[in-house]
Amino acid sequence: MPASTYPDVMDKLVSLCKRRGYIFQSSEIYGGTGSVWDYGPLGVELKKNVKDRWWHAMVRARDDIEGLDAAILMHPRVWEASGHVAGFVDPLVDCRTCKGRFRADKLEDARCLQKPSRQPGQAEQCQLTEARQFNLMFKTFMGPVEETASVVYLRPETAQGIFVNFLNVQQSTRQKVPFGIAQIGKAFRNEITPGNFIFRTREFEQMEMQFFVEPGTDAGHFEYWKEERMRWHHAIGLAPSRLQYKAHEQLAHYARAAFDIEFDFGGTLGFQEIEGIHNRSDYDLGRHQEYSGKKLEYFDQPNNRRYVPYVIETSVGADRVTLAALVNAYREEAVPGEEEGRVVLGLHPSIAPVKAAVFALTKKDGQPEMARKLAAELRRAFPTDYDETGSIGKRYRRQDEVGTPFCITVDGQSTADGTVTVRDRDTLVQDRVAADRVRAYLDERLSAA
Ligand code: GAP
């Protein structure tokens, strides 16, 4: 894969995320857990905003998609029917010399642990084993006895919770085909080679939607969802120049068509999948019918016929989109008239964790009181920070670095005439606004973004 024209900002982001409370390594005080991450105070807000934007676009703003929150633990037969027990495998090779473990089908993306300039198997001392199939599902036991009969899996995708509830949702809501079911939830995969921060982890969140359609109409729905999902990525601020479609060269056994939406993460990582759009045919409902013995047919009343619907799936990782949003937003720039440049997270205002920060220019003349009162008022409408420590320049820089779109300063003039300055993160333009108009002003600016 050719290197990206965008710079590699991953190391700087990892450090910013830790310093500012976006993302921490899991169990850090014990040396960390491999490729598992915790979202700090700002990270949890950012990821929640990403999920809220998705839920709004996919469920609340539509009358043809219903929401669902299915359990992580499911009947073990679900994973036999879905094909995961037999087929959710990656080929694994070990190196007897360096003890490294690699995906046999992705050796070109891996580095020998002793000779990082070579790929595994290419250095003289490498001793790779034969590839063996490794199932990516995490197994655990239900109940107090650890025996084969009590094996359950942590779900590797949320989709199956939707398939098995297809008729529950359809009959309780009286939806007519075509309609969809959407869900956000945790998924787990025992990845052989996780990495690149929160890009590939063993515990992650998916936002999936299955759209049930009449067979024969699937190609049209597939095209619709391909375009609709790209529009959503644009709407949360991902740069169109960093997004592209990629058709799957090899289709999974159940798929009739599949496209990824890829984002350019910069550096050598370059374009990588953030979302998959799949035409899954009637494979999943058909298999669950077969394995459960229960009919999963839709009754088309006007035409008096029953059929198993086809499914168009949109499947996107909440963590991967969060990472894409961070990479997309990170920039370092010079500030006119200042020696030190600034680091900015130019997050789209709709997903920025904090929408506004309020400062008092000095700690006297009633400025802190007025600023605190204004911050409390704004906090009722959206997440708002109050900061009175350090120079005003430092306070602006701190907010730039965490991506706060607006900074409001109470200064000497404010206590005299009741106005404050509102500074735009991106243009650095400062408007003077009456303090009692700030909320309306921000509402307008945030909704226009
Ligand atoms: N139900 C279909 C499905 O799960 P997938 O392509 O395996 O399809 C969909 O996964 C999305 O889930 C990916 O595009 C990615 O955003 C996210 N994803 C998958 N594995 C992941 C992992 N190990 N870490 C983080 N996100 C992951």
Side-chain angles (χ1 to χ4, degrees), residues 84 88 156-160 163 187-191 194-195 198-208 210 248 254 260-261 273-278 280 313-321:
H84 284 81
F88 196 50
E157 62 172 14
T158 55
Q160 300 304 323
F163 294 129
F188 303 82
R189 295 182 190 178
N190 202 359
E191 301 277 5
I198 54 169
F199 178 79
R200 181 170 287 110
T201 52
R202 296 191 166 111
E203 172 179 345
F204 54 98
E205 268 183 290
Q206 288 188 316
M207 307 187 286
E208 295 201 293
Q210 270 65 37
H248 282 208
Y254 55 78
D260 289 339
I261 293 179
E273 171 192 347
I274 54 173
E275 170 151 8
I277 296 126
H278 314 122
R280 296 183 71 123
E313 168 182 77
T314 71
S315 176
V316 58
D319 310 83
R320 237 176 238 190
V321 172

Side-chain angles (χ1 to χ4, degrees), residues 24-213:
F24 310 121
Q25 194 179 13
S26 159
S27 320
E28 196 184 6
I29 59 168
Y30 288 97
T33 315
S35 297
V36 187
W37 299 88
D38 297 339
Y39 287 80
L42 292 181
V44 67
E45 288 288 340
L46 173 61
K47 187 157 88 152
K48 187 172 182 319
N49 290 340
V50 166
K51 292 187 285 183
D52 286 350
R53 287 296 305 260
W54 186 88
W55 192 258
H56 180 79
M58 301 297 277
V59 181
R60 296 215 166 136
R62 304 183 64 106
D63 62 3
D64 58 353
I65 300 186
E66 304 289 345
L68 180 74
D69 183 11
I72 289 171
L73 301 177
M74 302 182 73
H75 194 289
R77 288 278 284 166
V78 166
W79 306 109
E80 290 170 30
S82 68
H84 284 81
V85 170
F88 196 50
V89 289
D90 278 341
L92 166 74
V93 291
D94 294 280
C95 177
R96 292 193 187 94
T97 313
C98 73
K99 310 291 176 222
R101 289 213 150 132
F102 310 100
R103 267 182 68 170
D105 57 337
K106 298 261 174 177
L107 285 179
E108 66 282 5
D109 297 339
R111 299 287 104 205
C112 165
L113 299 190
Q114 291 190 344
K115 267 221 159 171
S117 60
R118 302 284 181 83
Q119 71 179 54
Q122 284 187 339
E124 230 171 68
Q125 63 269 43
C126 296
Q127 286 190 67
L128 298 188
T129 58
E130 286 292 306
R132 62 199 153 90
Q133 297 298 338
F134 171 77
N135 194 298
L136 301 186
M137 283 198 294
F138 280 95
K139 261 186 207 169
T140 187
F141 301 92
M142 194 173 263
V145 189
E146 295 194 6
E147 57 177 39
T148 325
S150 62
V151 165
V152 289
Y153 300 96
L154 300 189
R155 67 180 174 199
E157 62 172 14
T158 55
Q160 300 304 323
I162 289 180
F163 294 129
V164 300
N165 276 299
F166 160 66
L167 276 189
N168 283 338
V169 174
Q170 191 270 319
Q171 288 168 355
S172 58
T173 60
R174 291 176 292 126
Q175 281 282 1
K176 297 197 170 34
V177 165
F179 79 98
I181 305 177
Q183 142 162 254
I184 299 176
K186 289 262 182 176
F188 303 82
R189 295 182 190 178
N190 202 359
E191 301 277 5
I192 297 171
T193 49
N196 288 310
F197 198 22
I198 54 169
F199 178 79
R200 181 170 287 110
T201 52
R202 296 191 166 111
E203 172 179 345
F204 54 98
E205 268 183 290
Q206 288 188 316
M207 307 187 286
E208 295 201 293
M209 191 281 299
Q210 270 65 37
F211 205 68
F212 299 90
V213 306

